[in-house]
């Protein structure tokens, strides 16, 4: 079992232990950290604590990182849209409507099910139910994802996400006429205290930054490109709603009266990163899905 130590900084004084630990690694969710604490994998100054423990300057945190659990998920043959593949990494274009990894209610038909049938050497560093998955996109968001085929590649790609050196550009259609050609949204994102199934901008949320530029305007709608500096859950959807321009078709964050596109009009179109073995920068672009392109044509009329 791998160990990790962290000494509480002065800036982290009086912060919850689960919040602090979840910021130490981009792949650690707060709920995952809370389970580790509950299972006794986290100690502060040699003692077990609860997830709501408030840290004190110079506290010594020791984390026993559990080994990845044996995956019990069925491999399924799928016609995956592979954009790139070698012995270390794979880039796949996920269609709208596909869940990335298995979860209660979605144990089959996910991207992970298909990847397990496509290649048997996915990394296990990310734990149970998420082999090889370095980052993810929502079920009803289409577009490019990078996948690690071994632990070396996984660590290298995750470090790039932490360093904010991965290029992730999304295309979206939003309600309203965005007045500025360019903009940056810097607003922390966390769970909505009134609805745990939603994310929102909150003072004690995780640092989140989205850059956007306008590509076209259509009276009551705007076609934009968003570039992620961070990668929080539902980040673009939450940030665009926050500034008053929610995504078209978004069932969770958009208005009830919206255009029908079977989910949010959001596509992860450009993905670039430094190859963890060759150290060369590679970039890929996936065209807009047909349904997305048809909507743009209709809006231009």
């Amino acid at each position: 079992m791998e160990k990790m130590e962290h000494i509480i900084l002065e800036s982290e004084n009086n912060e919850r232990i689960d919040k602090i630990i979840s910021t130490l690694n981009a792949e650690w969710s707060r709920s995952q950290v809370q389970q580790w604490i509950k299972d006794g994998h986290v100690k502060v100054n040699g003692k077990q604590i609860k997830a709501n423990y408030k840290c004190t300057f110079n506290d010594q945190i020791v984390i026993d990182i559990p080994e990845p659990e044996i995956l019990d998920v069925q491999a399924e043959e799928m016609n995956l849209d592979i954009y790139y593949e070698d012995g270390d990494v794979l880039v796949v274009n996920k269609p709208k409507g596909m869940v990335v990894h298995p979860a209660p209610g979605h144990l089959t038909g996910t991207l992970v099910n298909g990847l397990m049938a496509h290649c048997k050497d996915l990394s296990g560093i990310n734990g149970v139910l998420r082999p090889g998955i370095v980052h993810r996109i929502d079920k009803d968001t289409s577009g490019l994802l990078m996948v690690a085929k071994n632990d070396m590649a996984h660590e290298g790609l995750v470090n790039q996400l932490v360093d904010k050196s991965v290029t992730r550009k999304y295309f979206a259609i939003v309600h309203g006429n965005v007045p500025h050609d360019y903009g940056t949204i810097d607003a922390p994102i966390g769970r909505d205290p009134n609805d745990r199934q939603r994310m929102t901008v909150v003072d004690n949320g995780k640092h989140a930054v989205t850059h956007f530029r306008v590509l076209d305007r259509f009276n009551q709608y705007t076609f934009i490109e968003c570039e992620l500096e961070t990668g929080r859950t539902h980040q673009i959807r939450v940030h665009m709603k926050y500034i008053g321009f929610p995504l078209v078709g978004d069932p969770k964050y958009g208005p009830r009266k919206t255009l029908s596109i079977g989910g949010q009009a959001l596509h992860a179109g450009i993905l670039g990163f430094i190859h963890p073995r060759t150290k060369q920068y590679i970039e890929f672009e996936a065209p807009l899905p047909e349904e997305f392109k048809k909507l743009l044509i209709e809006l231009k009329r």
Side-chain angles (χ1 to χ4, degrees):
M1 186 176 292
E2 182 183 353
K3 284 185 180 291
M4 179 178 183
E5 295 188 11
H6 177 71
I7 303 298
I8 294 299
L9 307 173
E10 192 170 358
S11 60
E12 297 170 327
N13 187 54
N14 208 38
E15 290 279 4
R16 281 177 56 124
I17 183 74
D18 56 343
K19 179 182 178 183
I20 291 174
I21 294 176
S22 66
T23 63
L24 299 179
N25 187 310
E27 288 301 301
W28 294 351
S29 69
R30 197 157 172 177
S31 59
Q32 181 183 31
V33 169
Q34 289 170 349
Q35 188 62 51
W36 288 354
I37 294 171
K38 185 178 180 180
D39 293 341
H41 294 302
V42 177
K43 292 184 179 179
V44 177
N45 303 324
K47 298 179 180 179
Q48 291 189 12
I49 41 76
K50 294 184 178 181
N52 63 355
Y53 172 82
K54 296 292 185 68
C55 293
T56 302
F57 178 47
N58 274 337
D59 270 352
Q60 181 189 43
I61 300 175
V62 177
I63 310 162
D64 289 324
I65 305 170
E67 293 292 331
E69 299 176 34
I70 296 174
L71 189 70
D72 185 21
V73 175
Q74 186 72 33
E76 299 177 41
E77 292 293 337
M78 295 182 187
N79 185 24
L80 298 176
D81 189 7
I82 305 294
Y83 267 54
Y84 175 84
E85 183 177 10
D86 60 25
D88 299 303
V89 299
L90 178 150
V91 176
V92 59
N93 183 25
K94 185 191 82 69
K96 176 191 282 284
M98 176 183 279
V99 175
V100 171
H101 58 78
H106 292 98
L107 294 178
T108 62
T110 74
L111 179 61
V112 164
N113 294 111
L115 288 171
M116 288 179 65
H118 178 77
C119 49
K120 309 299 182 183
D121 53 354
L122 296 174
S123 74
I125 197 171
N126 206 12
V128 68
L129 298 184
R130 298 188 188 185
I133 300 300
V134 180
H135 63 130
R136 60 179 180 170
I137 54 180
D138 300 330
K139 173 187 174 183
D140 290 327
T141 298
S142 57
L144 298 171
L145 282 167
M146 53 186 178
V147 177
K149 298 180 72 175
N150 54 60
D151 288 357
M152 178 280 294
H154 200 130
E155 184 176 2
L157 295 176
V158 167
N159 286 340
Q160 290 181 58
L161 288 170
V162 173
D163 295 340
K164 303 174 184 176
S165 58
V166 177
T167 300
R168 288 176 291 172
K169 294 182 180 180
Y170 290 67
F171 299 98
I173 303 173
V174 299
H175 284 270
N177 195 312
V178 180
H180 305 290
D181 290 339
Y182 300 90
T184 294
I185 309 165
D186 185 345
I189 291 176
R191 291 285 172 189
D192 188 331
N194 300 314
D195 184 350
R196 301 299 293 174
Q197 299 299 313
R198 293 160 58 98
M199 308 299 288
T200 190
V201 171
V202 289
D203 291 340
N204 62 346
K206 291 184 178 181
H207 178 59
V209 179
T210 304
H211 306 283
F212 70 84
R213 69 185 181 101
V214 170
L215 300 176
D216 209 345
R217 294 183 174 91
F218 321 99
N219 296 321
Q220 302 177 44
Y221 304 96
T222 308
F223 180 37
I224 63 173
E225 176 191 274
C226 293
E227 183 167 7
L228 292 180
E229 185 172 314
T230 56
R232 307 307 177 197
T233 301
H234 301 168
Q235 180 172 314
I236 292 173
R237 300 164 67 186
V238 171
H239 270 172
M240 294 312 298
K241 176 190 177 185
Y242 178 66
I243 64 171
F245 302 99
L247 268 61
V248 161
D250 193 330
K252 191 178 291 285
Y253 302 102
R256 290 185 178 181
K257 187 176 181 181
T258 185
L259 302 176
S260 177
I261 193 175
Q264 61 272 3
L266 185 62
H267 174 67
I270 298 175
L271 175 66
F273 55 91
I274 297 171
H275 193 286
R277 188 175 299 276
T278 68
K279 308 305 179 186
Q280 297 296 311
Y281 179 78
I282 52 179
E283 185 173 286
F284 307 91
E285 182 170 359
L288 295 172
E290 287 302 315
E291 189 176 29
F292 201 122
K293 288 190 286 188
K294 288 180 181 177
L295 180 57
L296 284 175
I297 293 172
E298 290 176 7
L299 292 175
K300 286 181 180 179
R301 290 174 179 169

